[in-house]
Amino acid sequence: MTDKKKPTSVNAEGIFEPFSVENVPWENWSENTRYGSRSRYLSGFGGASHVGVAMEELAPGMESTLNHYHMLEEEQALILAGEMTLKLGEKTYLVKTGDYVCFPAGQKAGHSFYNHSDAPCRFLIIGEKNPHDVIVYPETGRVSVRLTGEGYDKSATMDYWQGADTNKKK
């Protein structure tokens, strides 16, 4: 198996230089016919490790992600071209070119985008890359713990002492 290194803007001296967004390759992903987009991972190409910035393009009829919110990580989005629907908590909003939205850490309102239009919508998504983040998915009940790389069912909550032997050992 060949480990193919992703291209970056690093020069021969190890310095990450300015680059054209057009030099960053598009990456496509999808989960069946409902979810998927293509993106250019700009911050990774430029060598960043603390803040993530990606240019995403959401095709007509597609959703960007499962509706979710972050406990420790903040996200922000700038709509560059087109329009789409933002689902934020129980409300929906039309967002279009020039609109900006913040998703503060700990705001317990799930967010996701859906392209209701007949043209692609392009946007920047900006976020911290907090290795300790906990992500909650209100529609599915999933809770993801980034530190452990594991996911849990939110309905399977436990009392603090549940499962512990609370009797003195003799």
Side-chain angles (χ1 to χ4, degrees), residues 45-84:
F45 190 86
S49 61
H50 296 279
V51 176
V53 179
M55 177 185 290
E56 290 199 32
E57 190 172 271
L58 193 57
M62 297 300 285
E63 291 184 53
S64 59
T65 61
L66 289 172
N67 196 268
H68 68 284
Y69 62 87
H70 298 264
M71 297 306 299
L72 301 175
E73 186 170 294
E74 178 177 280
E75 287 184 309
Q76 302 175 25
L78 170 64
I79 312 309
L80 301 173
E83 66 179 38
M84 60 186 168

Side-chain angles (χ1 to χ4, degrees), residues 22-168:
E22 297 300 319
N23 290 340
V24 182
W26 285 106
E27 295 182 27
N28 297 300
W29 75 272
S30 66
E31 184 62 35
N32 292 321
T33 59
R34 182 174 176 181
Y35 299 97
S37 69
R38 69 182 197 148
S39 62
R40 287 178 160 151
Y41 186 43
L42 304 177
S43 57
F45 190 86
S49 61
H50 296 279
V51 176
V53 179
M55 177 185 290
E56 290 199 32
E57 190 172 271
L58 193 57
M62 297 300 285
E63 291 184 53
S64 59
T65 61
L66 289 172
N67 196 268
H68 68 284
Y69 62 87
H70 298 264
M71 297 306 299
L72 301 175
E73 186 170 294
E74 178 177 280
E75 287 184 309
Q76 302 175 25
L78 170 64
I79 312 309
L80 301 173
E83 66 179 38
M84 60 186 168
T85 300
L86 163 65
K87 182 174 183 184
L88 182 60
E90 297 301 315
K91 296 183 178 181
T92 59
Y93 301 86
L94 172 68
V95 292
K96 59 189 180 332
T97 304
D99 287 348
Y100 198 86
V101 61
C102 296
F103 309 111
Q107 176 176 277
K108 294 181 179 179
H111 61 271
S112 57
F113 294 112
Y114 170 71
N115 188 345
H116 65 271
S117 77
D118 59 359
C121 185
R122 191 172 285 188
F123 59 102
L124 285 181
I125 189 77
I126 304 153
E128 300 172 65
K129 295 175 70 175
N130 188 318
H132 306 289
D133 195 20
V134 174
I135 306 106
V136 178
Y137 300 86
E139 294 172 342
T140 64
R142 178 181 169 80
V143 176
S144 177
V145 179
R146 190 174 286 162
L147 180 63
T148 62
E150 298 170 335
Y152 302 93
D153 182 347
K154 189 175 179 185
S155 67
T157 58
M158 296 174 66
D159 176 69
Y160 182 79
W161 297 105
Q162 185 178 335
D165 181 358
T166 57
N167 293 314
K168 274 189 175 178

